[in-house]
Amino acid sequence: MSEQFDDLFDGGLDSKLDFLNDKKSVSADGIYRIDMSKVQDKKKGYKSVLRFLPNFTKDEKVGQSAIEKITHYVNIKDMKELSGYYDSPKNFGDKCPLTDLYYNMTNSKNAILVNKAKSLNYSKKYYSYVLVVEDEQQPELVGKIMILQYGKTIKDKILSEKNGEISDPCNVFDLASGKNFVLLVKEIDTGDDTYPDYKNSMFKPEITSVPVYNEEKKAFKNAPVITDEVNGIERRKIDPKFQGIVKTFLLNREHDLEEFEPKRLTEEEQAKITEISNFLTGKTSNSFQKASSNDFDVTSDEDFMTEDTFNSSSTSDDDEDFFSDID
């Protein structure tokens, strides 16, 4: 009998039941997502520890630590083909037709149009690399470098650390002198809706070097640091002997920040936006109060709309001995 039929007739079907193992992809797009369904104590909420990482690109350059993006989500139940996400032209300093449409509808003094405007949702999000240091709810993510999508609440906490509002100023993305971030998420029930709240999240007070994860040993080890002096000011930096290990670790990821950069509207998307406007307004836009997208600024506090192995390419003794003291 042909080998291709062995699984079909000779008991090989037992190996074809992977769907019963409930093994889902960690993240198809690399986004670190909170799964509130895995929280056992709702009062305590979802808790994990993350480490913000710099944007070290594959061509070994250092980019901006976060990508900022303004997005509209259109949700028209009767026109599913028009629903979806649209990157705002405001990302490029241009006028945004969806922003103008929303603003004009909400200021039309027409109750029907004001209600329809709720189909247009606006958000400003930030994307940064994070290392998952602890996560009891999703332990399979520990040690992975993923991408955190966050909003104003967490951005303000990063800014507060940079400005030294709580303790000494700290760039939390710094490899030698950063801080781990305790992400604490609780669900808030308003009666009409339930949404996640991130305000109790905080950075740990202690400054540490970046923890490097060893998949084989299932353990972290903080990168060794040295202190030098620049212009009379002492500073910490990763020991040059171990910088190769850290660089290799930072590139060990499945997705890149650049995947989430804002994109200009395509001709197809522009045509859809025209249809969205016509559908929501009934082509009665002449009755609207005209406004500019520059007049529309959302300061929403919402945070979410919603690599794993250590491989050193170096052959130095320092590289080989980096994890030698971990049992």
Side-chain angles (χ1 to χ4, degrees), residues 150-164:
Y150 56 99
K152 186 176 184 299
T153 297
I154 293 179
K155 180 200 172 187
D156 285 349
K157 293 180 183 296
I158 296 173
L159 181 61
S160 177
E161 289 291 334
K162 180 179 181 295
N163 292 338

Side-chain angles (χ1 to χ4, degrees), residues 16-23:
K16 309 301 179 183
L17 299 177
D18 286 352
F19 77 100
L20 295 178
N21 297 330
D22 196 27
K23 291 183 179 179

Side-chain angles (χ1 to χ4, degrees), residues 85-138:
Y85 292 94
Y86 297 81
D87 285 356
S88 172
K90 290 187 71 175
N91 291 305
F92 306 97
D94 300 329
K95 286 173 62 66
C96 177
L98 286 174
T99 297
D100 290 347
L101 177 62
Y102 176 89
Y103 193 76
N104 291 330
M105 291 178 70
T106 55
N107 286 277
S108 66
K109 298 182 180 180
N110 181 317
I112 294 176
L113 293 178
V114 171
N115 186 59
K116 285 185 176 181
K118 296 177 182 179
S119 300
L120 307 174
N121 300 285
Y122 171 107
S123 70
K124 180 184 287 186
K125 301 298 179 188
Y126 304 88
Y127 299 81
S128 295
Y129 288 119
V130 291
L131 170 64
V132 183
V133 180
E134 298 176 19
D135 191 329
E136 292 184 1
Q137 297 87 179
Q138 301 182 88

Side-chain angles (χ1 to χ4, degrees), residues 42-75:
K42 299 297 182 182
K43 292 183 179 180
K44 292 184 178 180
Y46 192 108
K47 183 179 179 180
S48 63
V49 177
L50 309 175
R51 176 66 175 239
F52 282 90
L53 300 175
N55 179 11
F56 186 57
T57 65
K58 287 183 176 179
D59 56 357
E60 298 199 357
K61 296 180 180 179
V62 180
Q64 291 294 315
S65 295
I67 286 176
E68 177 181 329
K69 183 163 67 173
I70 299 171
T71 305
H72 284 281
Y73 177 66
V74 177
N75 184 16

Side-chain angles (χ1 to χ4, degrees), residues 48-261:
S48 63
V49 177
L50 309 175
R51 176 66 175 239
F52 282 90
L53 300 175
N55 179 11
F56 186 57
T57 65
K58 287 183 176 179
D59 56 357
E60 298 199 357
K61 296 180 180 179
V62 180
Q64 291 294 315
S65 295
I67 286 176
E68 177 181 329
K69 183 163 67 173
I70 299 171
T71 305
H72 284 281
Y73 177 66
V74 177
N75 184 16
I76 304 177
K77 295 181 180 179
D78 296 331
M79 297 287 285
K80 293 292 186 182
E81 64 274 17
L82 300 179
S83 298
Y85 292 94
Y86 297 81
D87 285 356
S88 172
K90 290 187 71 175
N91 291 305
F92 306 97
D94 300 329
K95 286 173 62 66
C96 177
L98 286 174
T99 297
D100 290 347
L101 177 62
Y102 176 89
Y103 193 76
N104 291 330
M105 291 178 70
T106 55
N107 286 277
S108 66
K109 298 182 180 180
N110 181 317
I112 294 176
L113 293 178
V114 171
N115 186 59
K116 285 185 176 181
K118 296 177 182 179
S119 300
L120 307 174
N121 300 285
Y122 171 107
S123 70
K124 180 184 287 186
K125 301 298 179 188
Y126 304 88
Y127 299 81
S128 295
Y129 288 119
V130 291
L131 170 64
V132 183
V133 180
E134 298 176 19
D135 191 329
E136 292 184 1
Q137 297 87 179
Q138 301 182 88
E140 69 276 9
L141 302 183
V142 172
K144 296 184 180 296
I145 294 176
M146 305 186 73
I147 295 168
L148 182 67
Q149 173 186 278
Y150 56 99
K152 186 176 184 299
T153 297
I154 293 179
K155 180 200 172 187
D156 285 349
K157 293 180 183 296
I158 296 173
L159 181 61
S160 177
E161 289 291 334
K162 180 179 181 295
N163 292 338
E165 296 176 12
I166 299 175
S167 57
D168 292 336
C170 175
N171 179 351
V172 298
F173 293 91
D174 192 283
L175 292 173
S177 302
K179 291 182 178 180
N180 288 353
F181 183 65
V182 179
L183 183 67
L184 184 59
V185 186
K186 295 184 178 181
E187 284 187 332
I188 303 297
D189 190 350
T190 64
D192 297 327
D193 198 9
T194 301
Y195 67 91
D197 177 40
Y198 305 85
K199 66 182 180 183
N200 291 322
S201 302
M202 68 186 73
F203 285 94
K204 291 189 174 183
E206 59 270 21
I207 289 176
T208 65
S209 64
V210 63
V212 178
Y213 189 68
N214 183 295
E215 175 66 25
E216 182 179 351
K217 297 186 177 182
K218 304 295 181 184
F220 287 97
K221 181 177 180 180
N222 290 90
V225 298
I226 62 172
T227 302
D228 65 2
E229 187 174 301
V230 178
N231 297 325
I233 301 175
E234 285 192 352
R235 67 170 187 177
R236 287 159 48 99
K237 72 175 186 179
I238 302 297
D239 189 328
K241 293 185 295 184
F242 300 97
Q243 289 179 4
I245 292 176
V246 174
K247 289 197 295 185
T248 299
F249 179 67
L250 292 176
L251 293 174
N252 194 8
R253 58 190 186 236
E254 296 178 359
H255 293 270
D256 298 317
L257 275 184
E258 290 73 21
E259 298 173 29
F260 299 91
E261 288 182 339

Side-chain angles (χ1 to χ4, degrees), residues 23-34:
K23 291 183 179 179
K24 299 180 180 179
S25 173
V26 169
S27 177
D29 56 5
I31 292 290
Y32 178 73
R33 290 184 172 84
I34 304 303

